[in-house]
Amino acid sequence: MSGDHSDATIARRVRRLETLLEEKGLLSGGALDESIDAFLLGASPANGAHVVARAWTDPAYRARLLADGTAAVRELGYLREAAPRLRVVENTESVHNVIVCTLCSCYPLSLLGPSPSWYKSEAYRSRVVREPRAVLAEFGLHLPAGTEITVWDSSAETRYLVLPRRPEGTGQLTEQALAALVTRYALIGTAAV
Ligand code: FE
């Protein structure tokens, strides 16, 4: 048997298995694409931190990122064509954003690495929508009473990434040094930087 022949056989078997899993509702095409994405691109919160640090240091990039997250993130080499749409939401003095998937556990894997276990928990998914301020306080994030909290519910089509506020006194830091300040929790919105 030639190598080509056996590769084709394996590819056909994999495809048949994918189809079967999708038909049984055990796997969505999007979820599979996302896993492949994560594998190929080295899924890590360092990727999301890189995007944030670039936005903090390059106003034109920040504008593109907020206008079309998917395209701007691809500029830096993240997200394949098949990945769900990415929307980047910016924290300001008056608005704080936090991400959840109330249905399951949708999450921008390739930019944030594997999701924390609490992200998938029933408690987080139901409570952060009803009482975001209390949930954030439990994470140690105490927001001023005047800060509006916006909760973004992820889906199979759209993923979210929080653009945290750049900390005071970091004007002289390089993009790389800034990226090192950005945590996975800050990219989900359950922490500040
Ligand atoms: Fe989900």
Side-chain angles (χ1 to χ4, degrees):
M1 196 194 295
S2 78
D4 283 338
H5 179 82
S6 103
D7 283 352
T9 305
I10 289 166
R12 207 158 44 235
R13 282 182 185 160
V14 168
R15 188 58 224 152
R16 201 184 303 143
L17 183 62
E18 280 175 26
T19 306
L20 197 64
L21 289 169
E22 286 174 26
E23 280 171 7
K24 301 262 183 212
L26 294 172
L27 185 74
S28 76
L32 187 69
D33 285 336
E34 218 173 350
S35 301
I36 294 168
D37 222 26
F39 175 74
L40 292 176
L41 301 173
S44 161
N47 298 345
H50 176 206
V51 170
V52 165
R54 176 64 57 88
W56 282 346
T57 53
D58 181 343
Y61 182 76
R62 174 182 156 277
R64 291 200 297 282
L65 185 68
L66 295 174
D68 184 346
T70 311
V73 161
R74 281 196 189 127
E75 282 181 40
L76 300 187
Y78 307 121
L79 294 186
R80 292 181 320 136
E81 285 301 319
R85 188 171 80 102
L86 182 77
R87 177 154 175 205
V88 178
V89 288
E90 183 183 38
N91 288 345
T92 66
E93 214 175 328
S94 54
V95 178
H96 180 87
N97 297 285
V98 61
I99 295 167
V100 66
C101 176
T102 56
L103 269 182
C104 43
S105 56
C106 298
Y107 181 84
L109 193 64
S110 63
L111 294 168
L112 292 185
S115 60
S117 54
W118 53 259
Y119 186 84
K120 294 167 244 175
S121 73
E122 168 68 25
Y124 177 74
R125 286 159 43 210
S126 57
R127 287 187 57 225
V128 77
V129 178
R130 291 199 313 270
E131 40 176 359
R133 191 171 294 274
V135 170
L136 294 180
E138 288 166 24
F139 276 96
L141 181 59
H142 301 277
L143 296 168
T147 303
E148 184 190 324
I149 301 172
T150 307
V151 181
W152 298 91
D153 194 359
S154 311
S155 67
E157 294 76 33
T158 308
R159 301 285 194 268
Y160 297 91
L161 182 77
V162 173
L163 174 55
R165 295 175 68 194
R166 179 172 173 164
E168 305 281 332
T170 56
Q172 75 297 347
L173 293 187
T174 62
E175 184 184 300
Q176 204 175 0
L178 286 167
L181 302 175
V182 180
T183 64
R184 183 169 59 149
Y185 284 22
L187 297 165
I188 301 172
T190 51
V193 176

